[in-house]
Amino acid sequence: MSQSESAALIAGYPLKAHNTFGFDVRAQFACRVEHEAQLMAAVRDPRAAALPRLVLGGGSNVVLTGDFPGLVLLVALRGRQLVREDDESWYVEAAAGEPWHEFVAWTLSQGLPGLENLALIPGTVGAAPIQNIGAYGLEMCERFASLRAVELATGAVVELDAEACQFGYRDSFFKRAGRDRYVITSVTFRLPKAWTPRAGYADLARELAARGEAHAQQPDAQAIFDAVVAVRRAKLPDPAVLGNAGSFFKNPVVEAVQFEALKAKEPELVSYVQQDGRVKLAAGWLIDRCGWKGRSIGAAAVHERQALVLVNRGGASGGDVLALAGAIQQDVLTRFGVELEAEPVCL
Ligand code: NAP
């Protein structure tokens, strides 16, 4: 049997294990994609050809508010390798279904530093460019070389560079015009041989300092990886234990004049000036200041240790989480005049 013939659509497929909030919803049809050829076989299947499609990797950046009335493609493509090197960089390719954190750990085990600040981010390699994942002063786009994707309308395999992906702050072409158009099948990263540590974020610097002076002064990539893992474990809920999708809101960026007015009213406002002169505000601080940390609506709650993370305490629906998010957005808008934008895709 050929790979394309082996694509199998499953009707009424349960998605609870495929979204990190753990919402108990179903897909009208689902297909587990282990080979590129299965993708087109699934979307061309007459039962699903006219239906909406949803691509799920780890399901770590999606809010499913109900059963999905279409075809869910469960991307399970695996494999990772060093594909080439030049004087400046190593190039490492990983299939879209590789778990992100395992991939980062593997690069370090191969002596290839550069992704360590992004340790323990939930989800898959294929999801990383969609969201342009970032943490502790590093964004994925800084290590990105290119990606391979299948265009679903034509079945064409394309290679897209950073410019085509239009990366922004927790954003890319794939969250906008490219949504549902392409399925990312692999990503190639460029890891610079002239590696320098990035340890400026306060939590990370504190953790490195707590681990001993040598690490704090001149941490190596493994020390940063270990410290990021420790900080994230201490602060962020494990989706396997408490359903969540990481940060629920983007950090808003406001004009300098609005920032000055806010700072005059709220002297403790946490903020970071951007290169373009605008100012990034810490969304978690704004939410906390409105008194939401630890509060809940039904089984949907704001995490006790990190106000930016909404959690499913058990039995919440996607609608419950959106109701909670809406109440938070309204309070932050009323108090600060700042609009919070959701980071996950809400369906
Ligand atoms: P934090 O250290 O408490 O800082 C709060 C916010 O201030 C962060 O969102 C961060 O913005 C910003 N910030 C802190 N230090 C900064 C610096 N030196 N320069 C510029 N901006 C600074 O944040 P946290 O919530 O514990 O998260 C730590 C890191 O992990 C952050 O980078 C965060 O984005 C990332 N993270 C991402 C997710 C996700 O789902 N996307 C979930 C958890 C954590 P930035 O967000 O722009 O870095």
Side-chain angles (χ1 to χ4, degrees):
M1 190 163 58
S2 77
Q3 285 174 358
S4 59
E5 284 167 332
S6 69
L9 263 54
I10 306 166
Y13 188 86
L15 295 175
K16 192 170 182 191
H18 297 277
N19 75 99
T20 58
F21 265 119
F23 297 137
D24 199 0
V25 294
R26 285 175 184 267
Q28 186 176 348
F29 294 104
C31 178
R32 190 175 154 83
V33 177
E34 289 170 348
H35 307 282
E36 261 182 31
Q38 290 172 323
L39 264 178
M40 292 315 294
V43 299
R44 286 179 179 149
D45 186 295
R47 289 172 294 169
L51 296 179
R53 292 161 194 148
L54 172 66
V55 182
L56 281 182
S60 60
N61 203 40
V62 67
V63 182
L64 299 170
T65 55
D67 290 344
F68 184 73
L71 171 64
V72 171
L73 297 164
L74 301 165
V75 177
L77 302 158
R78 300 299 292 260
R80 56 199 183 194
Q81 57 180 323
L82 175 65
V83 283
R84 63 179 193 278
E85 66 179 287
D86 55 28
D87 289 348
E88 281 88 42
S89 309
W90 291 288
Y91 293 81
V92 182
E93 182 180 22
E98 285 290 322
W100 174 260
H101 177 68
E102 284 177 29
F103 169 63
V104 173
W106 174 81
T107 56
L108 291 183
S109 74
Q110 303 299 300
L112 307 170
L115 295 172
E116 54 286 339
N117 290 55
L118 307 180
L120 216 61
I121 294 183
T124 55
V125 166
I130 295 173
Q131 159 86 339
N132 184 20
I133 58 172
Y136 302 102
L138 180 74
E139 285 191 2
M140 188 235 53
C141 63
E142 298 174 70
R143 301 287 187 246
F144 177 88
S146 64
L147 61 77
R148 215 176 121 89
V150 175
E151 189 177 27
L152 290 177
T154 60
V157 175
V158 295
E159 180 146 340
L160 302 178
D161 62 11
E163 199 186 338
C165 295
Q166 298 169 20
F167 293 121
Y169 180 63
R170 307 285 187 268
D171 193 36
S172 76
F173 166 71
F174 300 101
K175 270 183 125 174
R176 293 174 268 115
R179 200 166 135 200
D180 306 327
R181 199 170 140 198
Y182 293 101
V183 176
I184 297 168
T185 55
S186 73
V187 185
T188 301
F189 299 90
R190 182 190 297 113
L191 304 178
K193 290 183 175 176
W195 177 87
T196 50
R198 255 189 233 182
Y201 269 43
D203 276 358
L204 181 54
R206 247 192 313 271
E207 179 65 27
L208 285 162
R211 285 162 177 257
E213 208 156 300
H215 279 159
Q217 308 270 308
Q218 203 51 43
D220 62 16
Q222 188 63 48
I224 292 180
F225 176 93
D226 293 341
V228 167
V229 168
V231 172
R232 290 188 70 108
R233 286 219 168 104
K235 202 168 173 182
L236 295 168
D238 178 353
V241 179
L242 192 60
N244 74 88
S247 302
F248 198 88
F249 299 104
K250 293 182 186 180
N251 288 319
V253 179
V254 300
E255 298 300 327
V257 60
Q258 184 182 2
F259 165 71
E260 293 303 339
L262 276 172
K263 185 82 179 168
K265 278 200 282 185
E266 305 272 355
E268 291 163 44
L269 187 68
V270 177
S271 58
Y272 300 90
V273 179
Q274 306 295 283
Q275 276 176 352
D276 62 7
R278 296 187 306 153
V279 183
K280 180 174 76 180
L281 306 177
W285 187 89
L286 300 174
I287 296 166
D288 194 4
R289 202 65 169 189
C290 290
W292 276 104
K293 200 186 243 182
R295 274 175 64 193
S296 57
I297 295 183
V302 181
H303 189 50
E304 289 88 359
R305 273 171 286 149
Q306 170 49 288
L308 208 45
V309 177
L310 305 190
V311 300
N312 174 6
R313 284 191 177 149
S317 68
D320 295 337
V321 167
L322 290 193
L324 175 63
I328 292 168
Q329 282 166 316
Q330 187 55 55
D331 274 6
V332 169
L333 184 63
T334 304
R335 177 158 179 176
F336 299 105
V338 172
E339 275 184 45
L340 289 184
E341 190 188 335
E343 216 177 85
V345 175
C346 303
L347 293 169

